[in-house]
Amino acid sequence: NAGVTQTPKFRILKIGQSMTLQCTQDMNHNYMYWYRQDPGMGLKLIYYSVGAGITDKGEVPNGYNVSRSTTEDFPLRLELAAPSQTSVYFCASRTQNTGELFFGEGSRLTVL
Amino acid sequence: AQTVTQSQPEMSVQEAETVTLSCTYDTSESDYYLFWYKQPPSRQMILVIRQEAYKQQNATENRFSVNFQKAAKSFSLKISDSQLGDAAMYFCAYMEYGNKLVFGAGTILRVKS
């Protein structure tokens, strides 16, 4: 079982560039999440989605955009990358019932 | 907004000994989930244990158990017979039913041989 798959695993961006972090899950989960983790810190919620076509902001949404056109995919878009967006990004999904999040392996992004 | 506080940035334990990691949270809700996640150096997030607030019985998973004190809003993790493979960052997390998961800042656990 693939679970939650994130791509790319590593990326270096220049200031002002844009990119999309891809996230796909094959568990038919309705809920999907994007978190960022700065060095030595906990995870902060960027955006989340409770189903296809529905997204909402988390704690730190500025500088990011998301879309949820299908149940499986939840891409995270960075527009005009800034050094403050250097972080490890985690995508996660869950069913409505259990509460347990299934995480991807993370994507390390560096903005120089 | 809900907050989760882990007051111990770092803890150490001798192999085979027992250690307890602390977590407190703030909420006005009565129904919610609490979790402990483990993050080893590989950075993969691994669920250790889960507790539903309506259940009075403390959750256990092999060597891992929790002390859930709902009135005190406390959710500590006890690791018995600590092993070298337990060394990791541990995160406490809170979730209201049907909503987002909020994490604490984490506790680094070091296991000494």
Side-chain angles (χ1 to χ4, degrees), chain A residues 9-10 31 33 35 37 40-43 45 48 88 90 94 97-101 103-108, chain B residues 33 35 37 39 42-47 50 52 89 91 95-106:
Chain A
K9 288 187 170 47
F10 301 93
Y31 291 76
Y33 303 80
Y35 286 89
Q37 184 180 26
M41 304 292 286
L43 279 70
L45 183 64
Y48 68 105
V88 177
F90 287 94
R94 70 174 182 93
N97 297 329
T98 68
E100 177 187 354
L101 259 65
F103 284 86
E105 294 183 346
S107 300
R108 182 179 295 278
Chain B
Y33 291 107
F35 305 85
Y37 278 89
Q39 188 179 44
S42 67
R43 82 178 182 220
Q44 180 68 33
M45 294 291 288
I46 302 166
L47 178 66
R50 178 182 68 190
E52 295 177 76
M89 176 80 94
F91 293 102
M95 180 192 291
E96 292 175 7
Y97 284 166
N99 212 320
K100 47 191 182 278
L101 193 64
V102 177
F103 286 86

Side-chain angles (χ1 to χ4, degrees), chain B residues 8 14 20 25 30 32 37 40 42 44-45 47 51 54-56 58 60 62 67 84 87 94 97 103 112:
Chain B
Q8 306 153 316
Q14 200 68 32
T20 298
Y25 56 95
S30 59
Y32 48 86
Y37 278 89
S42 67
Q44 180 68 33
M45 294 291 288
L47 178 66
Q51 175 82 40
Y54 73 88
K55 291 184 178 179
Q56 294 186 351
N58 289 327
T60 62
N62 300 315
N67 183 4
L84 294 177
Y94 163 95
Y97 284 166
F103 286 86
K112 301 175 183 176

Side-chain angles (χ1 to χ4, degrees), chain A residues 76-93:
Chain A
L76 177 71
R77 178 82 176 162
L78 281 73
E79 304 282 2
L80 298 175
S84 61
Q85 293 179 304
T86 294
S87 191
V88 177
Y89 292 83
F90 287 94
C91 180
S93 72

Side-chain angles (χ1 to χ4, degrees), chain A residues 19-92:
Chain A
M19 74 159 298
T20 299
L21 296 175
Q22 302 291 345
C23 177
T24 298
Q25 52 94 8
D26 61 0
M27 298 173 282
N28 201 34
H29 287 170
N30 287 327
Y31 291 76
M32 295 188 74
Y33 303 80
W34 274 106
Y35 286 89
R36 61 176 285 173
Q37 184 180 26
D38 298 332
M41 304 292 286
L43 279 70
K44 293 190 182 299
L45 183 64
I46 305 171
Y47 271 95
Y48 68 105
S49 169
V50 301
I54 305 170
T55 62
D56 207 349
K57 296 178 180 179
E59 303 169 76
V60 290
N62 291 344
Y64 306 94
N65 279 299
V66 294
S67 60
R68 185 90 183 274
S69 57
T70 67
T71 299
E72 295 78 18
D73 300 310
F74 190 42
L76 177 71
R77 178 82 176 162
L78 281 73
E79 304 282 2
L80 298 175
S84 61
Q85 293 179 304
T86 294
S87 191
V88 177
Y89 292 83
F90 287 94
C91 180

Side-chain angles (χ1 to χ4, degrees), chain B residues 73-89:
Chain B
K73 298 179 184 176
S74 171
F75 183 61
S76 61
L77 174 70
K78 186 171 82 171
I79 306 174
S80 303
D81 186 26
S82 296
Q83 301 175 359
L84 294 177
D86 295 333
M89 176 80 94

